Amino acid sequence: FMTQASGADYIFKIVLTGDSGVGKSCLLSRFTRNEFSLESRSTIGVEFSTKEIQMDGKIVKVQIWDTVLAGQERFMAITKAYYRNALGALVVFDLLKPSSFQNLDQWYNEVRANAGADCSVILIGNKADQRHIRAVQYEDAKRYADERNIPFIETSALDATNVEQAFRTLITDIYRHWA
Ligand code: GDP
Ligand code: MG
């Protein structure tokens, strides 16, 4: 799972998953480039970005995969390749959109089925900046995460709240598990 590579002590593969439109690509660009774009860009296929972070004096290179096709639009072969060797997954829903919360099982089960029981998972409720139109309660999301023994963090890719912390939490968990 972890290869020695030029300049980095470890490489971790992480995947982003969750309904289309919840903000996965925006979380990725916020974390890797500190950028945010209001336009939703639906690329076709799979893409990934990398970022190097320091942990315990080691250089950890995280390779973060982003899907662009949702659920049924995807082929099983792509799903398998997407999750293969992933050490961590961010399962993302939209705090403004209850359906994206109700669909979490689909994504969570897909992670567990394809990345395995050892994959570190974190639940992300994104778009926390829109407090006045929030539609999923903190308690409900926290309970969902607690039942699966995973952390829950509310983020905003727009104003950057907790984005670094969410990725760091996941990467630290992976590091403790594998490094
Ligand atoms: P993806 O399909 O999950 O990759 O979602 P995108 O990253 O493409 O984002 C979908 C839409 O939600 C875009 O119009 C973004 O500008 C918007 N968006 C993403 N993150 C946030 C956020 O934290 N707050 C708000 N208000 N909008 C966001
Ligand atoms: Mg996207």
Side-chain angles (χ1 to χ4, degrees), residues 17-86:
T17 190
D19 278 7
S20 180
V22 297
K24 299 180 297 295
S25 299
C26 289
L27 287 165
L28 180 60
S29 58
R30 172 63 75 193
F31 179 63
T32 57
R33 301 192 299 275
N34 201 21
E35 284 173 9
F36 180 83
S37 156
L38 271 174
E39 283 120 67
S40 189
R41 193 173 51 96
S42 288
T43 330
I44 304 296
V46 167
E47 52 185 23
F48 66 83
S49 300
T50 58
K51 179 165 171 150
E52 285 187 2
I53 63 163
Q54 298 265 354
M55 200 152 281
D56 285 352
K58 303 277 189 200
I59 298 168
V60 177
K61 187 178 201 169
V62 258
Q63 190 184 70
I64 307 155
W65 293 48
D66 185 18
T67 54
V68 249
L69 297 174
Q72 288 134 339
E73 305 163 44
R74 266 194 285 132
F75 295 108
M76 204 53 204
I78 295 176
T79 302
K80 290 229 171 288
Y82 189 69
Y83 289 105
R84 186 173 301 130
N85 294 342

Side-chain angles (χ1 to χ4, degrees), residues 113-172:
N114 293 283
D118 278 339
C119 181
S120 297
V121 180
I122 186 170
L123 180 64
I124 305 292
N126 189 43
K127 309 193 188 181
D129 52 279
Q130 301 291 306
R131 278 182 205 86
H132 54 296
I133 50 168
R134 163 190 196 119
V136 179
Q137 296 314 306
Y138 175 86
E139 290 72 23
D140 295 330
K142 182 73 169 87
R143 189 178 321 115
Y144 186 92
D146 284 349
E147 283 167 5
R148 286 153 188 85
N149 205 18
I150 58 175
F152 168 56
I153 296 183
E154 295 189 351
T155 60
S156 167
L158 188 149
D159 69 16
T161 301
N162 284 344
V163 175
E164 178 86 20
Q165 193 199 325
F167 279 95
R168 280 246 167 212
T169 299
L170 183 66
I171 294 161
T172 303

